[in-house]
Amino acid sequence: MQTTKVRIKVADYDSLPERAGQAVTINGQTIVLFRISTGDVKAVENRSPHRKGGTLADALVSGNFIYCPVYDLKISLEDGKVQAPDTGEVKTYQVEVFGNEVHITI
């Protein structure tokens, strides 16, 4: 089965808080945008990879990583992988910034 990817405007760049998450809902999926200290914007699904669940919108940001606010899992914003010794992964999304517009591809 072939799937079609779509690029969607999700936020204005200047409205994103630096080093904090902002959740957006697109087609029933909740995605968290993080504007990191370099100015880049990263996007991950708003679901902790911990087996007990939780959300990542309130995650702490440090460099290219976030820390799950409940279980303290260290998660890469580049590939969504949980860092050792823990395991797990969250879905990441391609982000593009055009002027003041932030778009993700889903």
Side-chain angles (χ1 to χ4, degrees), residues 3 11-12 16 18 22 25 31 33 42 47 49-50 58 63 66 74-76 79 86-87 90-91 98 102:
T3 59
D12 291 329
L16 296 176
E18 189 172 323
Q22 180 172 313
T25 301
I31 297 167
L33 304 170
K42 305 294 182 181
R47 180 192 60 80
H50 192 275
D58 295 324
I66 56 173
K74 184 178 181 182
I75 303 165
S76 169
D79 60 13
D86 299 304
T87 60
V90 296
K91 185 174 182 176
F98 301 103
V102 179

Side-chain angles (χ1 to χ4, degrees), residues 47-87:
R47 180 192 60 80
S48 173
H50 192 275
R51 69 183 186 287
K52 291 183 178 177
T55 61
L56 297 174
D58 295 324
L60 299 175
V61 180
S62 178
N64 287 330
F65 296 94
I66 56 173
Y67 290 85
C68 174
V70 177
Y71 305 108
D72 203 33
L73 301 172
K74 184 178 181 182
I75 303 165
S76 169
L77 287 170
E78 296 297 326
D79 60 13
K81 293 189 178 185
V82 174
Q83 305 301 293
D86 299 304
T87 60

Side-chain angles (χ1 to χ4, degrees), residues 5-55:
K5 294 194 173 200
V6 179
R7 183 172 57 204
I8 301 171
K9 179 188 177 214
V10 291
D12 291 329
Y13 181 82
D14 60 8
S15 71
L16 296 176
E18 189 172 323
R19 297 177 34 194
Q22 180 172 313
V24 296
T25 301
I26 302 165
N27 298 335
Q29 300 175 60
T30 304
I31 297 167
V32 186
L33 304 170
F34 293 97
R35 181 173 153 188
I36 61 176
S37 58
T38 62
D40 290 342
V41 179
K42 305 294 182 181
V44 299
E45 65 180 318
N46 190 24
R47 180 192 60 80
S48 173
H50 192 275
R51 69 183 186 287
K52 291 183 178 177
T55 61

